[in-house]
Amino acid sequence: MSNLPPFIAPERFTDANAALAQVMRIYDGSIAHLRQAMQRFVAGDDSMGHVRACYPLVRIHTDTVSRNFIPDSARLSYGFVAGPGRFETTLTRPDLYSDYYLEQFNLLLQNHGVELEVGTSAQPIPVHFSFAENDHVEGNLSAQRRTLMRDVFDLPDLAAMDDGIANGTHQVRPGEPQPLALFTAPRVDYSLHRLRHYTGTGPEHFQNFVLFTNYQFYIDEFIALGHAAMGDPNGEYIAFVEPGNVITRRVGLPAEAIDALGKEPPRMPQMPGYHLVRADRAGITMVNIGVGPANAKNITDHIAVLRPHAWIMLGHCAGLRNSQQLGDYVLAHGYVREDHVLDEELPLWVPIPALAEIQVALEQAVADITQIKGAALKSIMRTGTVASTDNRNWELLPDNQPQRRFSQSRAVALDMESATIAANGFRFRVPYGTLLCVSDKPLHGEIKLPGMANHFYRERVDQHLRIGMRAVELLRAQGSEQLHSRKLRSFSEVAFQ
């Protein structure tokens, strides 16, 4: 026998705020039901039967391929469905996604002139996804009691959270609705929990512009800049968040209740995250992904559910041309993918295009920070193809096979992460870019040695990071509607950004 909260049947709305309020009502009721049941289960209550609560859903019906012309949103690459039919998606964490959901709801109403249906779905919420941020009640259970959870609660079901929609492999069966969003609610919840684990910070702190790096030197500099920003009473950033959800408020701003919950972790997470927070969430998140394409795929798989406006890779690379100097920059306009981690999801024959808005912002940022203009900029920055490999010691392979391939591709630089981050940006419709700094030239006898490397890092890290942050400022000033390129949208695309 199922133990369910009161069922809320679908209702129709022509007001986005009212629709969002209904989503919150359903979600909050479902979460409260699961949390209360979990408390009883921990206390030893076995009389509840099978406890279940389901996600809210939003649905639209349209019978035409045409849509209303709205001048302010006509150029957007999202906010509308591809044709007639029934479209729906499950929703989660309306507290975190309220602004996002409100924008998507408004665009659907404006573009199609139809009603939004909001109600309770048939998709169960796994009990693990109902726990509050600092709620660890399951940790008090014995091994036998934890095993019994499977009989009482719904646990995560991987079949409900695959990436078929994003990968373009999802097949709609007869009678089924078409998807409204790239991710189902369970898939979103799964990634939100993974973000806490890998970065050591809650998803609510992530900002809409994300910088990735593969070196701790950049993080050290970002921390210094973050704390310096908190000393400016008139600055644009209101908080700086570090692993363990340790929050530093801008001088003059009062502490908030959640600040007391922050605690420096006993050990750093695998890919620590840091957040320069703006009130509009348009600040900067920086993550040290470490070395290798597996980490790059892993973290971007999860950050993608937050629907950021852009992510940019700032890292070091091997310069492949003799004309390059240590410290030169490489602005990637193409990628050779020998990372292999996305071959199943995104076949190698899929091109990963450069995005003009990101490219222009990065080039302008280099000019602004270095104060080198025009043709002279070519003396310190090369635009070209970047190759990414999963073999850190590619130079040692016999017969020079990698060198031959990289030469044929016209690659000017090589690293282990950039193509993965760009490819996952393409896959998940997140605008992406890459600006690397040449730290060694293995094909030309300039290998990375400790003394040389330390000197190089001191010389270049601060400037490189400031270039990345300046690029974010330029992109933010353009407005997010300019970033979400139609290049990233498929033939039959979901409506949600």
Side-chain angles (χ1 to χ4, degrees):
M1 179 178 178
S2 292
N3 183 338
L4 301 166
F7 177 75
I8 299 178
E11 294 184 33
R12 297 184 177 186
F13 298 89
T14 57
D15 178 82
N17 287 286
L20 178 60
Q22 184 76 331
V23 170
M24 291 181 172
R25 177 186 168 203
I26 296 169
Y27 181 80
D28 291 347
S30 293
I31 294 299
H33 179 77
L34 290 175
R35 288 178 179 173
Q36 291 167 7
M38 188 61 174
Q39 290 173 353
R40 290 172 59 185
F41 180 78
V42 170
D45 188 344
D46 292 321
S47 65
M48 294 179 291
H50 186 81
V51 178
R52 170 168 289 176
C54 294
Y55 290 104
L57 66 79
V58 62
R59 175 192 301 137
I60 70 165
H61 294 261
T62 179
D63 56 7
T64 177
V65 297
S66 66
R67 64 181 195 267
N68 300 328
F69 177 74
I70 310 297
D72 291 341
S73 60
R75 291 179 297 174
L76 288 180
S77 61
Y78 60 91
F80 51 88
V81 297
R86 177 165 58 104
F87 301 81
E88 70 177 48
T89 189
T90 49
L91 305 172
T92 189
R93 290 296 306 273
D95 58 317
L96 179 62
Y97 287 95
S98 59
D99 291 343
Y100 173 76
Y101 288 157
L102 200 59
E103 180 191 15
Q104 311 312 309
F105 290 177
N106 271 315
L107 288 172
L108 288 171
L109 291 168
Q110 292 170 11
N111 282 315
H112 296 289
V114 296
E115 297 173 313
L116 300 176
E117 294 182 32
V118 176
T120 305
S121 75
Q123 180 63 57
I125 301 175
V127 69
H128 296 80
F129 298 163
S130 71
F131 299 157
E133 174 71 28
N134 296 287
D135 190 359
H136 305 292
V137 293
E138 81 285 3
N140 299 322
L141 297 174
S142 65
Q144 182 180 13
R145 196 83 180 141
R146 283 197 297 272
T147 301
L148 289 175
M149 283 179 63
R150 297 178 178 272
D151 297 329
V152 180
F153 298 99
D154 292 296
L155 302 188
D157 177 11
L158 294 180
M161 56 182 76
D162 68 53
D163 283 331
I165 301 171
N167 293 342
T169 59
H170 176 70
Q171 296 292 322
V172 178
R173 299 173 190 158
E176 281 187 343
Q178 298 179 66
L180 262 180
L182 291 177
F183 304 108
T184 63
R187 170 67 169 84
V188 172
D189 274 337
Y190 175 79
S191 283
L192 297 182
H193 282 259
R194 295 287 82 197
L195 285 174
R196 292 190 187 94
H197 172 74
Y198 286 116
T199 71
T201 54
E204 64 274 12
H205 300 304
F206 277 75
Q207 301 296 290
N208 271 318
F209 293 93
V210 183
L211 300 178
F212 296 112
T213 188
N214 51 8
Y215 279 94
Q216 182 63 31
F217 295 92
Y218 287 81
I219 295 298
D220 294 341
E221 191 65 29
F222 191 68
I223 292 171
L225 292 173
H227 283 291
M230 294 305 96
D232 180 1
N234 300 312
E236 61 182 318
Y237 299 106
I238 62 172
F240 183 63
V241 183
E242 302 174 67
N245 295 322
V246 176
I247 301 175
T248 303
R249 300 284 172 186
R250 190 182 70 197
V251 62
L253 295 179
E256 298 184 10
I258 61 170
D259 296 5
L261 301 176
K263 184 179 180 181
E264 186 176 346
R267 65 189 65 85
M268 273 294 165
Q270 184 175 344
M271 290 178 274
Y274 301 80
H275 314 277
L276 259 176
V277 179
R278 278 176 43 126
D280 59 0
R281 296 180 66 88
I284 304 173
T285 286
M286 190 164 200
V287 181
N288 181 1
I289 62 176
V291 176
N295 278 359
K297 178 185 182 298
N298 187 6
I299 198 64
T300 49
D301 278 349
H302 300 312
I303 291 179
V305 306
L306 297 173
R307 310 314 297 142
H309 293 321
W311 60 41
I312 296 173
M313 176 67 188
L314 300 179
H316 294 156
C317 64
L320 300 181
R321 302 302 179 92
N322 196 32
S323 59
Q324 292 170 303
Q325 302 297 320
L326 300 188
D328 283 356
Y329 294 113
V330 174
L331 176 59
H333 73 182
Y335 300 89
V336 174
R337 295 169 52 202
E338 293 202 1
D339 50 349
H340 301 301
V341 292
L342 279 167
D343 291 0
E344 292 185 17
E345 290 92 343
L346 196 67
L348 287 174
W349 50 260
V350 177
I352 308 300
L355 303 181
E357 295 81 4
I358 308 289
Q359 300 296 98
V360 170
L362 283 169
E363 182 174 353
Q364 183 62 52
V366 174
D368 290 349
I369 298 301
T370 64
Q371 291 297 294
I372 299 175
K373 307 291 184 181
L377 199 59
K378 293 183 179 180
S379 67
I380 64 163
M381 186 179 74
R382 182 88 177 249
T383 300
T385 297
V386 170
S388 289
T389 178
D390 59 356
N391 186 344
R392 178 59 185 85
N393 296 310
W394 59 273
E395 311 99 303
L396 306 182
L397 291 175
D399 302 325
N400 292 324
Q401 292 179 9
Q403 296 179 37
R404 186 180 303 117
R405 291 195 302 273
F406 298 150
S407 179
Q408 289 173 324
S409 73
R410 311 301 192 266
V412 299
L414 181 136
D415 77 346
M416 299 186 70
E417 300 87 19
S418 293
T420 309
I421 288 170
N424 241 8
F426 180 89
R427 175 180 169 228
F428 291 131
R429 290 74 162 171
V430 176
Y432 51 86
T434 300
L435 183 72
L436 302 176
C437 192
V438 175
S439 60
D440 62 329
K441 295 168 58 183
L443 299 183
H444 308 285
E446 295 188 58
I447 62 175
K448 195 179 297 182
L449 298 174
M452 180 183 73
N454 288 335
H455 176 74
F456 165 79
Y457 296 145
R458 286 194 298 270
E459 289 288 318
R460 269 291 181 261
V461 166
D462 175 71
Q463 184 183 82
H464 195 185
L465 176 57
R466 289 178 183 274
I467 289 170
M469 296 176 70
R470 175 59 181 157
V472 168
E473 293 173 358
L474 294 169
L475 293 170
R476 184 194 298 137
Q478 290 182 29
S480 61
E481 66 278 0
Q482 301 294 323
L483 286 174
H484 296 281
S485 174
R486 296 181 189 274
K487 290 181 185 177
L488 302 182
R489 313 293 282 183
S490 64
F491 296 157
S492 183
E493 189 61 60
V494 298
F496 279 24
Q497 176 256 311

